[in-house]
Amino acid sequence: MSIYWISLFLAGLCEMGWAVGLKIADLPNLKFTGIVIAVLSMSLSGFLLWYSLKEIPIGTAYAIWTSIGAVGTFVIGVLIFGDPNIPLRWLGIACILLGVVLLKISS
């Protein structure tokens, strides 16, 4: 695995960080902390995505980046924040993952 793919994976994790940071900002007494987490995560996510684009096609990189963020945030929402946990939602996540796998193996 190249440094560009590692960078893209880390960018996706940071993508989760800003969404979670915004959710934390809704909690009592954590507004500032949540906003700081969100802004730092957004900045780092954007930088790492930019770096990964030096080697990875933009369409593939963007789809993987947003998918890591979407799937990871979904799982955090279900496990930590009590978001709905029904099979149809998990099927949707499985479809996202299938699409990303197909993009990766075709590039």
Side-chain angles (χ1 to χ4, degrees):
M1 180 175 280
S2 77
I3 190 70
Y4 300 105
W5 283 101
I6 293 168
S7 174
L8 181 60
F9 178 74
L10 293 173
L13 294 179
C14 290
E15 187 72 0
M16 293 168 24
W18 75 261
V20 172
L22 292 177
K23 182 69 174 176
I24 290 170
D26 278 343
L27 300 174
N29 301 320
L30 291 176
K31 183 177 223 66
F32 181 75
T33 302
I35 291 171
V36 168
I37 291 169
V39 169
L40 291 176
S41 294
M42 282 181 205
S43 300
L44 189 54
S45 180
F47 174 79
L48 290 167
L49 175 64
W50 165 79
Y51 183 74
S52 74
L53 293 176
K54 294 178 183 300
E55 181 72 23
I56 302 169
I58 189 170
T60 301
Y62 185 75
I64 291 171
W65 177 61
T66 57
S67 297
I68 292 169
V71 171
T73 303
F74 168 81
V75 171
I76 289 170
V78 168
L79 296 178
I80 296 174
F81 295 108
D83 288 355
N85 184 13
I86 58 173
L88 193 55
R89 296 185 82 218
W90 286 99
L91 178 61
I93 291 300
C95 289
I96 291 170
L97 291 173
L98 177 62
V100 169
V101 167
L102 291 174
L103 277 172
K104 170 62 176 108
I105 62 175
S106 68
S107 61

